[in-house]
Amino acid sequence: MIYLNDGLPIIACSTGTTSNTAIAKIRIGGFENLDALTPFFSKNLLNLRPNEARLLEIMHEGKVFDEVVAIFFKGPNSFNGENILELDVHGNQVNVQRIIDLFIDNKICRLSYPGEFTYRALTNKKMNLSQVEGLDVLINSHSNFAFDQGMATLRGELNEKYKLLLHYFIKLKASLELSIDFLEDVGEESAKKEFAASFSDFNNLISSLYQRTRGNVENLMTPTITLIGQTNAGKSSFFNQLLLNNRSIVSDYAGTTRDYVSEGLSIKNTDFKLIDTAGIRETFDHIEKMGIERSFELGKRAFFKILVVNPFETNPDDFHLLKDLEFDFVIFTHSDLVGMVEKRDQLLKNPNFPNHYNNLSLSLGPIGPDESISGPMGPGKNISGPMGPDKNTSGPIGPIIEELKNSIYSKFTELCEKDPILVDRHRRVLEGLYIKTQEFQVVTDSLDDLGIISSELNLIENDIQELLGIISPDDVLASIFSNFCIGK
Amino acid sequence: MKKFDIIIIGGGHAGIEAAWISDQMGLKVALVSMTGVPLASTPCNPAVGGVGKGQVVREVDALGGLMGKIADLSAIQYRTLNESKGHAVRSTRVQVDKEKYSENAEKIIASSNVEVIREKVSKVYKKESMFHVELGKKGLKASKVIVTTGTFLNGVVHTGEEQSSGGRIGQMASDGLQDLFLSIKTAPTRFKTGTPPRLDRETIDFSKLEPQESDPKTQNFHVLDNLYHRELEQVPCYLTRTNNETLSIIRDNKERSPIFNGQIKGVGPRYCPSIEDKAFRYPERNSHHVFIEPEGLNIPTIYPNGISTSLPKDAQEDFIQTINGLEKAKILVYGYAVEYDVVDTINLSKTLEYKDIPGLYFAGQVNGTSGYEEAAGQGIIAGINASLAFLNRGPLVLERTNSYIGVMVEDLVSNRRDEPYRLFTARAENRLFIREDNTTNRIHQYRKLLGLNSELDQFQTQYMAEYIQLDKYCEKFIFKSNDETKGYFKKMEYGPLDDNVTLSQLLKRSKLDPVATLKNEVEGFLFPVVQAVAISKKYEGYINRANLENQKLVKLGKKKIDWEKIVNSASISNECKQRIKDIRPETFSQAQRIKGIRPATLAFIAGGI
């Protein structure tokens, strides 16, 4: 992605262009003064005072396009340092498009690239790189946690930690210089002590930052629960059961693709993406095989993995397909049928049975659009299943689902408590830094050559500079901004 | 008015280097020095070299300068510092006989065509494109002038409460240089430099002190000299320490110390602190090293390194006598501090020419550096560039990536100094590459540009040819992994030979000394070549890795920037604008080095490249 620094005015709809809403916000930014824009409005824009909302009409060639509320932000006191005119317009997409086209066709401005307004904030020094990344997290997060962290990064809190890292690094470097340039003044002993202490401070901080980069970040931005299992194991029924009363209408998780069906599942204010994958089985059909592989990949990356097994129709030969996965829960279906317990236990004893933490058995009753499903599954059916690996309790399916949801939520909070760092670039650089620091430790322990040691230390310095955004590669910027939508 | 091609004002270390090289390049040179001041005197520590400085001496030598030669002729003790810390940080340091050093300097200058004029300068002015230097009734003129006046610019000497105007004890300050110099921008802060008292050698009890003998394995500075030749008799230095008593006397005398009672306003170097500085900055430490250094073979004074001071005379006597071995020591010259003005070096270009007055150059301590070696390095650069300019040729600028001189010059012109500048290895970004042993490799390309054909040039040509040959050989020669060679490896203690190994790979083995190993394996090459190839091979991997990582930065650093455009943009803070206006950086790396520049500003500049 190439960001043109052409300095031309840009326009975008900040509230998105996919659906009709009551109000939409259009931004025009980077114009030199309001003169060029005035002809398109019913009142003289030059009378607009900055930061004041005014009711106006957009007009062209005598025709009224829309009645809007306009706010003028005068650079450099604006979001990105440039002049910005914000227009609250009626959120009908036809209207939005017409207004945008009006300004573009009359050569007032061009359509902005995704994230270009923020890019200009970066280049105009209104935001630093870390803050932009925080904004990225903020816009794209699906959990309270991620949003909070985005906010923290936007406000520069993470940056403070990195500055501390730089401070420790400088101390470390200084103590090494002490040994080289000032040995005669300080003495061998105290120089060595100084170095060991400085290294310890630095190493501790980078290690703790590194711990916060472990784990799959996707899981915190978009926490996913996948259901995996053989065809006809009962995945889809279970899928529907989970969603009962908990379907999230707010998230954009609902979707059906060739490979899976997804919906938003809300647990205690956190939106999880619940995915029902394609049935796993050994097949010669090429297309089916690819579908299975794709959903398998999906499953691997999910933060919570549930295996749904029908003990009566399970082919143990298919287990090898799942051997690399570790499941959080295994759900055995058809627990109401006779002989289920024996079949289930047989499966559990099979050494090839996939690794898992917990299992539950239940009965899901008939699937299908006609049956009414409420409370305990099916009229009069008996649901039984252990709540843990050994127990054998019976009860309505409700509490079982509740326990499962609690499990999901507590695993999620545990992950959050580790306070993981979500910004992709930071994770990458921190990981590199951590590895280099460990390598550096090996070098210092085994060598006496201060020239080599100082050279290795300088390698670390480059990474720290990158972390603080002093030197950042161009493609990084491009990848950040591609996550933005047009208008921000 | 006698006309010269170039006039050098000041006969110190910077002055003689500038004079000598200009003479070598065929110019008609006048060297003006005040009466009663010996050429290239060593008014402080009678030593040449040290950490970072030994490297500079060798670089000056490789460019064709004098310091290395004179040091070798005058050295009475040799040491290699950081010997056990790896080849990259090793530095050579020698104690010299003060008198012999100046004598040798005078002799060598006398053997050239440089005209030495012993007069005080009363006025300097520029008329049309010629500089006029008035010496009382006489006068000189030239189109190029290099000022190397050291600490004499408005110098004031302090010994306790006594003050006198001078650049050094017993020597007058050069007030006459005021006229042209009224238009020279000096740094807003005055600098100070101090020196310890000199003791009577006969009154020191050496039996109580720890001797440091001269190291016969330390190599001479001048490349054309035999590596281990010792011209003069070698004597040891001695080590003693201050103690609680010493420090408490110093602390008790705080009000009488010109540094701490405000009498001296100048700023001294942080890393060459007076004993008062040490006493007050490190209140918990009472034991500091004191090196007892002879000032010469037949000179009665001893230089106690580590107790530089400007305390009043009686305080000096008191605290000295608390030191082990110095209980009966007599002071022959009291310690003093000199406060002086320095040129604001951001007004100099990388050729050390004063930007607003073309043809005028500044070099040495007058630029705010401390140390004879730093002065010599600047002297030779100013001399070369003034001569090249005179001959209408392009400038010679050494890179900071391959020389300490390059680091120093760029540091000086890129930032305003707020304390005296001294070279450390820490100032160079790639110590592994800028070493003593590969000086010829790094500097030869610059010396070549002078177009001279002296013995030095012939040596360098031969060296480079042999180096390339030996380097190739190390890559090509393979030790085959057979029984016979394995046995050989065992005998030589080279380690295992499980697979074929090139000579280059053998040299990289961390347990081996690469120089000794390579010496065993080849014959007929100059030892300095063997040494340099061996050490370069050992560090090759690390250097390549560092270069790879730095490529991005180096590429970015070299890019030219338009400082005027940057200063006019609305997005930079006023503070940064001011700093950029002061320094007028030409490349990104110069901008990076500006003190106090914000990372955000740098990112903005980088984005605009």
Side-chain angles (χ1 to χ4, degrees):
Chain A
M1 169 97 60
I2 302 167
Y3 274 91
L4 294 176
N5 275 326
D6 58 11
L8 289 178
I10 50 180
I11 189 171
C13 178
S14 303
T15 45
T17 49
T18 45
S19 53
N20 288 342
T21 51
I23 301 177
K25 189 181 275 289
I26 294 179
R27 266 178 175 166
I28 308 177
F31 48 87
E32 248 188 74
N33 50 47
L34 289 165
D35 285 350
L37 293 165
T38 282
F40 297 92
F41 291 86
S42 56
K43 299 203 184 114
N44 190 350
L45 288 183
L46 296 174
N47 293 332
L48 263 187
R49 283 208 293 232
N51 308 342
E52 261 186 19
R54 297 284 291 275
L55 188 63
L56 306 168
E57 284 164 341
I58 297 182
M59 301 185 60
H60 185 59
E61 282 164 0
K63 182 165 154 195
V64 173
F65 274 54
D66 193 8
E67 198 179 54
V68 306
V69 174
I71 308 180
F72 170 50
F73 297 98
K74 193 166 157 69
N77 300 327
S78 66
F79 161 63
N80 66 5
E82 300 184 326
N83 286 332
I84 294 183
L85 182 67
E86 279 192 8
L87 304 169
D88 288 344
V89 308
H90 286 97
N92 179 304
Q93 284 306 313
V94 174
N95 184 39
V96 168
Q97 205 50 55
R98 200 170 62 157
I99 294 175
I100 290 180
D101 286 343
L102 174 66
F103 289 105
I104 292 180
D105 291 342
N106 284 289
K107 306 221 191 307
I108 302 297
C109 50
R110 63 164 169 82
L111 193 64
S112 90
Y113 293 110
E116 196 171 0
F117 280 88
T118 306
Y119 180 74
R120 289 182 176 195
L122 183 67
T123 53
N124 288 333
K125 239 194 59 190
K126 295 287 280 188
M127 291 172 75
N128 65 42
L129 192 61
S130 239
Q131 288 176 308
V132 167
E133 290 162 330
L135 196 56
D136 177 18
V137 169
L138 203 117
I139 294 178
N140 291 306
S141 61
H142 281 101
S143 67
N144 275 334
F145 171 78
F147 186 87
D148 286 341
Q149 205 192 75
M151 196 55 156
T153 309
L154 187 62
R155 294 163 53 89
E157 284 162 30
L158 207 51
N159 227 32
E160 291 305 309
K161 271 267 145 51
Y162 299 152
K163 284 195 193 148
L164 185 63
L165 191 68
L166 180 67
H167 170 72
Y168 282 152
F169 177 78
I170 290 177
K171 269 187 68 192
L172 177 59
K173 197 161 176 217
S175 70
L176 183 64
E177 307 303 353
L178 204 68
S179 300
I180 297 176
D181 287 316
F182 298 97
L183 201 57
E184 306 228 307
D185 293 318
V186 190
E188 181 94 33
E189 274 280 329
S190 61
K192 277 210 166 113
K193 253 183 23 183
E194 184 73 46
F195 182 79
S198 307
F199 181 73
S200 163
D201 283 340
F202 179 79
N203 196 21
N204 288 342
L205 182 55
I206 186 62
S207 298
S208 80
L209 284 171
Y210 174 68
Q211 284 314 312
R212 293 172 59 186
T213 66
R214 300 290 80 214
N216 196 332
V217 74
E218 249 179 64
N219 292 330
L220 285 134
M221 295 283 281
T222 309
T224 315
I225 306 165
T226 42
L227 300 181
I228 294 180
Q230 297 177 309
T231 326
N232 299 326
K235 287 192 280 74
S236 304
S237 305
F238 189 61
F239 184 82
N240 289 328
Q241 263 307 295
L242 278 175
L243 286 172
L244 215 56
N245 299 327
N246 295 104
R247 185 179 306 239
S248 167
I249 53 167
V250 189
S251 80
D252 55 357
Y253 284 154
T256 309
T257 72
R258 183 179 39 198
D259 310 319
Y260 63 85
V261 171
S262 69
E263 282 285 355
L265 175 67
S266 178
I267 305 178
K268 296 192 196 173
N269 268 336
T270 300
D271 279 349
F272 294 88
K273 189 170 180 176
L274 181 63
I275 295 183
D276 181 11
T277 63
I280 303 268
R281 67 177 186 155
E282 208 50 277
T283 172
F284 290 117
D285 183 293
H286 185 63
I287 294 186
E288 189 183 342
K289 204 182 186 103
M290 276 176 22
I292 292 173
E293 271 168 18
R294 267 194 297 264
S295 48
F296 189 66
E297 284 307 306
L298 211 70
K300 269 208 303 211
R301 295 196 315 255
F303 116 94
F304 203 90
K305 305 190 246 307
I306 304 177
L307 180 67
V308 183
V309 179
N310 178 350
F312 292 98
E313 295 193 17
T314 300
N315 184 353
D317 293 333
D318 288 338
F319 286 155
H320 75 276
L321 292 168
L322 304 168
K323 67 175 163 35
D324 291 326
L325 293 183
E326 212 167 51
F327 290 95
D328 297 278
F329 261 88
V330 176
I331 303 284
F332 291 102
T333 55
H334 299 89
S335 62
D336 52 322
L337 298 183
V338 175
M340 182 271 186
V341 178
E342 289 77 25
K343 284 229 175 273
R344 180 197 68 204
D345 289 342
Q346 209 174 22
L347 286 172
L348 285 170
K349 286 206 192 83
N350 189 324
N352 290 329
F353 193 75
N355 297 321
H356 63 281
Y357 284 107
N358 247 328
N359 67 67
L360 289 172
S361 304
L362 40 76
S363 164
L364 291 165
I367 336 162
D370 308 323
E371 306 289 334
S372 86
I373 296 160
S374 61
M377 288 305 295
K381 283 277 175 89
N382 197 3
I383 288 91
S384 64
M387 295 298 280
D390 301 317
K391 289 216 275 186
N392 197 356
T393 54
S394 54
I397 193 174
I400 297 184
I401 301 285
E402 272 314 301
E403 176 183 325
L404 187 61
K405 287 201 281 198
N406 285 335
S407 222
I408 294 172
Y409 190 72
S410 59
K411 182 174 183 192
F412 183 69
T413 13
E414 238 179 73
L415 250 160
C416 291
E417 262 153 30
K418 295 204 181 98
D419 201 9
I421 292 173
L422 299 180
V423 181
D424 207 39
R425 182 182 66 95
H426 298 185
R427 295 167 63 88
R428 188 175 45 81
V429 179
L430 283 170
E431 180 170 351
L433 256 173
Y434 177 75
I435 292 174
K436 285 195 178 123
T437 307
Q438 302 320 300
E439 286 172 355
F440 176 73
Q441 186 163 36
V442 171
V443 168
T444 40
D445 287 342
S446 62
L447 284 180
D448 259 334
D449 191 319
L450 294 184
I452 293 181
I453 293 177
S454 98
S455 179
E456 296 292 286
L457 196 59
N458 284 345
L459 297 180
I460 295 181
E461 180 162 11
N462 290 340
D463 280 7
I464 297 187
Q465 298 227 339
E466 204 188 325
L467 196 61
L468 286 169
I470 294 174
I471 315 282
S472 51
D474 300 321
D475 40 30
V476 164
L477 284 179
S479 85
I480 291 173
F481 289 103
S482 63
N483 278 338
F484 282 65
C485 42
I486 294 186
K488 192 74 182 148
Chain B
M1 271 251 158
K2 199 158 174 205
K3 183 159 179 238
F4 289 90
D5 296 337
I6 182 172
I7 299 173
I8 294 154
I9 304 180
H13 299 273
I16 63 169
E17 295 293 349
W20 173 262
I21 199 72
S22 305
D23 176 68
Q24 293 285 301
M25 287 176 70
L27 272 67
K28 188 157 173 236
V29 185
L31 176 60
V32 182
S33 180
M34 290 204 295
T35 47
V37 182
L39 288 186
S41 60
T42 48
C44 197
N45 197 341
V48 169
V51 185
K53 293 149 169 281
Q55 283 87 333
V56 174
V57 177
R58 292 188 190 273
E59 285 175 16
V60 168
D61 187 67
L63 282 171
L66 294 177
M67 189 168 250
K69 248 192 283 217
I70 304 178
D72 287 346
L73 289 172
S74 329
I76 57 179
Q77 191 235 30
Y78 283 75
R79 273 186 74 207
T80 304
L81 303 180
N82 282 337
E83 193 167 9
S84 57
K85 304 276 176 208
H87 291 276
V89 297
R90 280 195 191 175
S91 306
T92 309
R93 185 181 185 277
V94 302
Q95 292 292 132
V96 298
D97 180 313
K98 261 171 65 149
E99 280 170 1
K100 287 261 177 347
Y101 195 91
S102 293
E103 253 176 59
N104 285 322
E106 305 254 0
K107 257 196 236 156
I108 293 183
I109 293 288
S111 74
S112 72
N113 293 321
V114 173
E115 187 166 330
V116 180
I117 299 173
R118 283 250 144 76
E119 293 272 358
K120 186 170 172 186
V121 172
S122 54
K123 204 160 136 180
V124 179
Y125 60 92
K126 193 169 183 196
K127 199 157 104 171
E128 283 139 20
S129 58
M130 290 293 260
F131 290 93
H132 291 252
V133 178
E134 275 178 23
L135 318 160
K137 299 230 178 61
K138 294 199 288 181
L140 314 168
K141 60 181 182 180
S143 57
K144 306 286 174 212
V145 169
I146 305 183
V147 178
T148 59
T149 49
T151 56
F152 288 86
L153 215 55
N154 265 340
V156 176
V157 180
H158 296 262
T159 309
E161 294 101 355
E162 301 165 28
Q163 288 181 49
S164 61
S165 155
R168 273 179 228 145
I169 278 227
Q171 293 161 355
M172 306 167 287
S174 49
D175 304 310
L177 288 174
Q178 288 312 99
D179 359 278
L180 185 62
F181 286 52
L182 287 177
S183 52
I184 304 289
K185 299 196 183 79
T186 51
T189 333
R190 267 160 83 72
F191 283 6
K192 89 167 168 65
T193 185
T195 200
R198 306 301 200 273
L199 309 175
D200 183 349
R201 190 213 294 247
E202 303 295 316
T203 57
I204 296 182
D205 186 357
F206 289 98
S207 66
K208 289 183 166 190
L209 308 179
E210 210 184 296
Q212 285 186 329
E213 301 286 348
S214 180
D215 186 345
K217 294 189 295 12
T218 303
Q219 296 172 17
N220 274 319
F221 281 116
H222 185 47
V223 288
L224 297 177
D225 284 343
N226 174 302
L227 281 177
Y228 306 108
H229 172 73
R230 301 295 181 246
E231 182 73 16
L232 298 177
E233 176 195 338
Q234 299 296 294
V235 299
C237 292
Y238 294 85
L239 177 60
T240 180
R241 289 172 183 77
T242 58
N243 51 50
N244 292 348
E245 261 192 84
T246 328
L247 272 301
S248 68
I249 293 178
I250 294 170
R251 292 185 180 122
D252 286 343
N253 274 288
K254 189 170 183 182
E255 286 85 50
R256 304 173 72 205
S257 160
I259 302 170
F260 286 91
N261 64 17
Q263 202 181 311
I264 289 189
K265 311 256 186 295
V267 177
R270 270 175 298 170
Y271 35 72
C272 199
S274 62
I275 192 69
E276 296 98 289
D277 284 318
K278 291 187 206 176
F280 300 119
R281 238 193 281 153
Y282 309 112
E284 348 70 45
R285 281 193 69 180
N286 290 330
S287 172
H288 302 275
H289 282 164
V290 181
F291 290 92
I292 303 298
E293 296 169 357
E295 291 210 298
L297 292 173
N298 300 315
I299 298 177
T301 46
I302 286 286
Y303 179 97
N305 190 351
I307 50 174
S308 161
T309 180
S310 56
L311 280 173
K313 296 183 175 158
D314 56 298
Q316 292 189 27
E317 280 159 11
D318 288 342
F319 82 71
I320 298 251
Q321 288 174 351
T322 61
I323 299 176
N324 187 26
L326 306 181
E327 294 84 355
K328 298 223 167 51
K330 216 174 107 187
I331 299 181
L332 293 179
V333 183
Y334 286 89
Y336 62 91
V338 179
E339 217 187 336
Y340 56 102
D341 279 334
V342 302
V343 172
D344 196 359
T345 47
I346 59 175
N347 295 297
L348 302 175
S349 69
K350 283 197 193 168
T351 56
L352 298 180
E353 188 176 24
Y354 195 84
K355 286 187 203 164
D356 292 338
I357 307 179
L360 184 64
Y361 296 75
F362 286 87
Q365 201 163 1
V366 73
N367 283 339
T369 57
S370 86
Y372 316 132
E373 303 84 356
E374 286 88 338
Q378 292 170 66
I380 201 170
I381 291 293
I384 289 175
N385 278 298
S387 305
L388 286 172
F390 181 86
L391 297 167
N392 283 322
R393 286 159 60 183
L396 182 72
V397 175
L398 269 57
E399 306 257 330
R400 77 176 296 127
T401 45
N402 60 22
S403 65
Y404 277 101
I405 292 180
V407 170
M408 172 174 65
V409 171
E410 196 183 297
D411 281 351
L412 283 177
V413 309
S414 304
N415 259 313
R416 173 171 287 141
R417 299 279 120 214
D418 52 11
E419 60 168 354
Y421 180 92
R422 199 199 110 155
L423 268 174
F424 301 109
T425 63
R427 295 201 193 269
E429 277 88 31
N430 42 354
R431 279 192 195 87
L432 285 186
F433 180 60
I434 310 184
R435 314 184 303 264
E436 283 201 328
D437 61 88
N438 67 354
T439 307
T440 303
N441 298 66
R442 296 182 284 108
I443 303 296
H444 170 60
Q445 51 182 315
Y446 300 114
R447 168 73 188 182
K448 235 172 34 173
L449 295 175
L450 301 185
L452 302 171
N453 191 15
S454 68
E455 215 185 320
L456 174 69
D457 300 282
Q458 287 157 19
F459 167 83
Q460 290 189 347
T461 309
Q462 185 194 356
Y463 175 103
M464 290 308 293
E466 284 191 22
Y467 185 95
I468 293 172
Q469 208 190 353
L470 183 56
D471 187 79
K472 270 206 202 116
Y473 179 80
C474 289
E475 293 304 324
K476 292 230 164 86
F477 183 88
I478 301 179
F479 290 100
K480 293 246 163 70
S481 173
N482 54 42
D483 287 334
E484 191 189 334
T485 322
K486 283 192 191 177
Y488 175 70
F489 264 49
K490 193 145 179 235
K491 182 178 105 185
M492 304 297 288
E493 289 181 346
Y494 284 168
L497 184 59
D498 301 323
D499 292 309
N500 289 354
V501 138
T502 61
L503 181 51
S504 174
Q505 287 166 328
L506 177 64
L507 295 174
K508 291 183 166 60
R509 289 190 176 182
S510 54
K511 299 273 190 299
L512 297 180
D513 172 9
V515 181
T517 309
L518 188 56
K519 195 146 175 268
N520 286 335
E521 296 301 318
V522 299
E523 220 174 49
F525 289 93
L526 291 169
F527 178 71
V529 173
V530 173
Q531 182 175 247
V533 171
I535 298 173
S536 299
K537 286 293 164 211
K538 174 165 175 141
Y539 287 144
E540 208 172 40
Y542 298 99
I543 294 178
N544 287 343
R545 204 142 85 98
N547 281 344
L548 214 62
E549 290 276 340
N550 285 332
Q551 240 169 45
K552 249 187 305 188
L553 291 169
V554 168
K555 240 171 81 178
L556 187 61
K558 289 211 173 110
K559 294 242 164 89
K560 296 217 179 306
I561 59 176
D562 182 352
W563 69 267
E564 282 177 11
K565 189 161 167 222
I566 294 168
V567 161
N568 286 328
S569 104
S571 320
I572 311 248
S573 74
N574 286 330
E575 200 194 334
C576 286
K577 273 194 202 169
Q578 191 54 48
R579 292 182 203 269
I580 293 176
K581 267 203 208 126
D582 279 342
I583 308 283
R584 301 182 246 170
E586 284 159 9
T587 59
F588 185 74
S589 73
Q590 271 188 299
Q592 262 184 306
R593 278 172 228 299
I594 295 179
K595 202 161 174 199
I597 194 115
R598 306 227 189 114
T601 306
L602 287 176
F604 174 79
I605 299 176
I609 290 180

